[in-house]
Amino acid sequence: MNIKYLLLASVFTCQVTLAEDAPEPNPQTEVGVVKIEWQNPKEFRDIKTSVELQSRFENRLFETLTKNINKQAEKSLKPGQTLHMQVTDIDLAGDMRPTFGATPGDLRIVKDLYPPRATFSYSVKEGDKVVIAGDEKITDMSFMHHSNRMRDRPFQYETRLFVEWLQKTVEPQL
């Protein structure tokens, strides 16, 4: 009787292992004039969560950033233009630190030492025609001095990183 249970358990374990080995598609988010492909998020430098499910946190991060980038892109781009991005790495502001059981999860410590960073390629299109394109590695070393600390908006440092990039790099070229 125990052998039956062992065989049944091994079948389930094999199926779970096969499901984990299946490559996950790169998530995509699209809002307004912005479309972003998040390439291999499991390999991003730091998008760890403290107590939330990692997949739920990633979805919330990607949707929030896309929505916030779109707000600025609608101001920066001309009518009929769209922004396409392929994000290959993100490092959220701060660093995850273990609490060794003092809290249910780790804590994100936000200090000047841990600035937000992103690596991506982009293209601004007008219909099928590419207006501008490029590869970027952006970092905001002074992120703690720009932001209002009393505001508690999700991913405010990362949003500012992308908004400043749009204003300083994309707008002048259009």
Side-chain angles (χ1 to χ4, degrees), residues 47-127:
I47 57 169
K48 296 177 187 88
T49 181
S50 57
V51 292
E52 189 176 3
L53 283 174
Q54 184 65 32
S55 60
R56 190 174 297 161
F57 178 79
E58 288 175 12
N59 288 336
R60 189 166 58 86
L61 168 68
F62 299 156
E63 289 171 8
T64 302
L65 286 179
T66 304
K67 182 181 79 173
N68 293 339
I69 292 168
N70 182 66
K71 285 180 187 175
Q72 182 60 39
E74 286 179 338
K75 297 173 189 173
S76 301
L77 302 178
K78 296 177 182 174
Q81 293 180 335
T82 56
L83 173 64
H84 298 265
M85 299 172 67
Q86 295 82 34
V87 178
T88 54
D89 192 20
I90 286 191
D91 185 354
L92 297 177
D95 190 39
M96 292 301 286
R97 295 295 172 96
T99 60
F100 303 107
T103 63
D106 297 340
L107 291 176
R108 181 167 293 279
I109 306 298
V110 179
K111 291 183 177 182
D112 288 340
L113 292 171
Y114 314 113
R117 305 167 196 258
T119 305
F120 59 95
S121 58
Y122 72 96
S123 62
V124 175
K125 296 182 179 181
E126 198 165 331

Side-chain angles (χ1 to χ4, degrees), residues 6-26:
L6 288 174
L7 289 174
L8 188 59
S10 66
V11 168
F12 287 129
T13 305
C14 289
Q15 289 177 347
V16 168
T17 303
L18 290 174
E20 289 176 1
D21 290 342
E24 294 182 18
N26 293 331

